[in-house]
Amino acid sequence: MDIFTESFSLQTLTILLAEDDHDDILVFKEVISDFQITINLHFAKDGLQTLELLHKLQNVDIVFLDINMPLMNGLECLSEIRKQSLPVSVIMLSTSNSDYHVSQSKILGANGYITKPASLNDFRQAIKDVLTTDWTKEQTDFYANI
């Protein structure tokens, strides 16, 4: 059993993936299926549904939030999450690595920013890094373009 598995062996994580691209959802599911931890995974197809689920589920540990979604984009959703003081860590997960998106995410209160990697192994490592970080503590810069 590795340190990653040991650190979560007694815990169940609840993750909300806000993503409108079916292929990206399948890749995310594939990546987390390799982890030997219990994950309750929920999906939202846009920012409005993300907010609804955050209120309904109430105990979400981490939101992975895509920027480009219909109805309410990820930046708008992030702004609402922080305005409503919802107690959740938010990791922006996007194909965009523009300075604007990264800086806006940081300004609006995202805990981290990951550019969706092309390699499945890189993506797996990025998600593993997020899941092994204690987001209740002050973080150094986790804005990474992988």
Side-chain angles (χ1 to χ4, degrees), residues 43-143:
F43 303 98
K45 63 182 179 220
D46 57 56
L48 292 176
Q49 189 176 42
T50 300
L51 292 171
E52 289 172 16
L53 283 171
L54 282 172
H55 287 287
K56 180 181 174 185
L57 298 172
Q58 296 179 351
N59 291 320
V60 175
D61 297 299
I62 299 174
V63 174
F64 287 91
L65 188 58
D66 187 27
I67 289 179
N68 297 313
M69 296 185 295
L71 301 180
M72 176 187 281
N73 70 40
L75 294 174
E76 294 165 334
C77 183
L78 173 60
S79 178
E80 281 301 309
I81 289 169
R82 295 307 182 221
K83 281 181 191 172
Q84 296 177 24
S85 300
L86 298 174
V88 66
S89 298
V90 178
I91 307 299
M92 304 307 286
L93 183 60
S94 182
T95 56
S96 171
N97 65 354
S98 77
D99 290 340
Y100 172 77
H101 285 138
V102 173
S103 66
Q104 281 302 112
S105 296
K106 195 171 194 176
I107 289 167
L108 293 172
N111 297 87
Y113 191 105
I114 299 172
T115 302
K116 294 175 187 174
S119 155
L120 193 59
N121 285 334
D122 288 345
F123 193 37
R124 184 175 293 109
Q125 185 60 52
I127 300 303
K128 187 174 181 179
D129 290 346
V130 169
L131 298 182
T132 56
T133 298
D134 183 353
W135 295 105
T136 62
K137 296 180 180 175
E138 186 69 27
Q139 296 300 313
T140 57
D141 204 18
F142 189 75
Y143 290 78

